[in-house]
Amino acid sequence: MTRIGVLALQGDFAEHIKMLSSLGVDSSEIRLPSHLDSVDGLIIPGGESTTIVQLMDNFGLTEQIKDLIFSGLPVWGTCAGMIVLAADITDDRPKPMGIIDITVSRNAYGRQVDSFEAVVDIPKLGETPFNAIFIRAPAINSIGDSVEILATLDEGQIIAAQEGNVIVTSFHPELTDDLRFHKYFASVVADNNFRNN
Ligand code: GLN
């Protein structure tokens, strides 16, 4: 059985773990490099991206996570997690990991509407629309040629994308009771079979 690690330094990691356990997927909290030894996939949760990047550095996790992802470990970043994984950001901080070929802007939806919900189509999850929750969300400004768009807002703004083993969402599926996005990631992890390759 595969196990999905959830980076548990800051942010809403507990909600991700709850979703995975509702699906019957084994999970573990990642705080130290040794915790990465037995995982087949990784989720970087929402929270505060500057804090997450800082703590990843402090705990010596950054390089190891990078190496694992470049060797094919499936990873999914939600909101702040998406900022952490981006190739580039338009803000001064934090320094992103440079994993997925997207450029993002933090807190891109303005102060008045810094939290909102939108019902969106996500073809990979089937025909029923998904209720996407945005909290001080980053925007994806541009994507490279090898990045697949998984979902957009009605006006075309990209809100979910995938490049091979790397998935990002600017919203928070872990704050709904819709398990389909977690199920999709678990299926990517199971198909990838990282530890047995
Ligand atoms: N605004 C946060 C950041 O820039 C992200 C917010 C979130 O993860 N909900 O890091």
Side-chain angles (χ1 to χ4, degrees):
M1 184 166 159
T2 55
R3 174 185 295 165
I4 297 180
V6 182
L7 190 67
L9 300 173
Q10 191 268 338
D12 67 346
F13 55 88
E15 285 78 0
H16 277 291
I17 287 172
K18 220 162 134 194
M19 297 295 269
L20 294 170
S21 91
S22 300
L23 281 171
V25 174
D26 197 15
S27 67
S28 59
E29 295 183 2
I30 307 296
R31 293 196 175 84
L32 295 170
S34 60
H35 298 166
L36 289 161
D37 290 347
S38 60
V39 299
D40 306 279
L42 178 68
I43 293 176
I44 303 183
E48 194 55 45
S49 54
T50 48
T51 309
I52 293 174
V53 165
Q54 180 69 58
L55 291 172
M56 280 171 69
D57 280 346
N58 292 354
F59 286 94
L61 286 160
T62 311
E63 288 311 312
Q64 197 175 339
I65 289 178
K66 227 185 223 176
D67 288 350
L68 285 167
I69 299 171
F70 284 133
S71 329
L73 183 80
V75 61
W76 172 23
T78 59
C79 202
M82 174 174 98
I83 299 166
V84 173
L85 291 169
D88 203 5
I89 71 170
T90 58
D91 310 80
D92 294 340
R93 292 186 319 142
K95 185 177 181 304
M97 290 176 84
I99 302 283
I100 178 168
D101 192 7
I102 59 172
T103 301
V104 307
S105 292
R106 298 174 61 199
N107 305 324
Y109 293 94
R111 286 244 158 103
Q112 300 86 326
V113 287
D114 61 10
S115 296
F116 64 99
E117 297 186 19
V119 177
V120 296
D121 285 323
I122 308 181
K124 292 237 191 265
L125 306 187
E127 291 198 348
T128 309
F130 195 91
N131 189 34
I133 298 177
F134 297 81
I135 301 169
R136 293 175 59 73
I140 300 175
N141 299 329
S142 63
I143 61 170
D145 290 343
S146 52
V147 178
E148 182 187 359
I149 296 169
L150 299 185
T152 62
L153 293 176
D154 286 347
E155 62 268 31
Q157 171 65 56
I158 302 167
I159 56 168
Q162 178 166 0
E163 185 178 20
N165 55 320
V166 185
I167 297 171
V168 290
T169 53
S170 55
F171 53 96
H172 292 272
E174 73 282 12
L175 299 182
T176 68
D177 52 15
D178 190 334
L179 295 169
R180 288 178 296 156
F181 214 110
H182 287 77
K183 197 169 174 190
Y184 172 60
F185 182 61
S187 77
V188 170
V189 171
D191 292 348
N192 180 288
N193 202 10
F194 183 72
R195 293 283 153 198
N196 298 313
N197 278 337

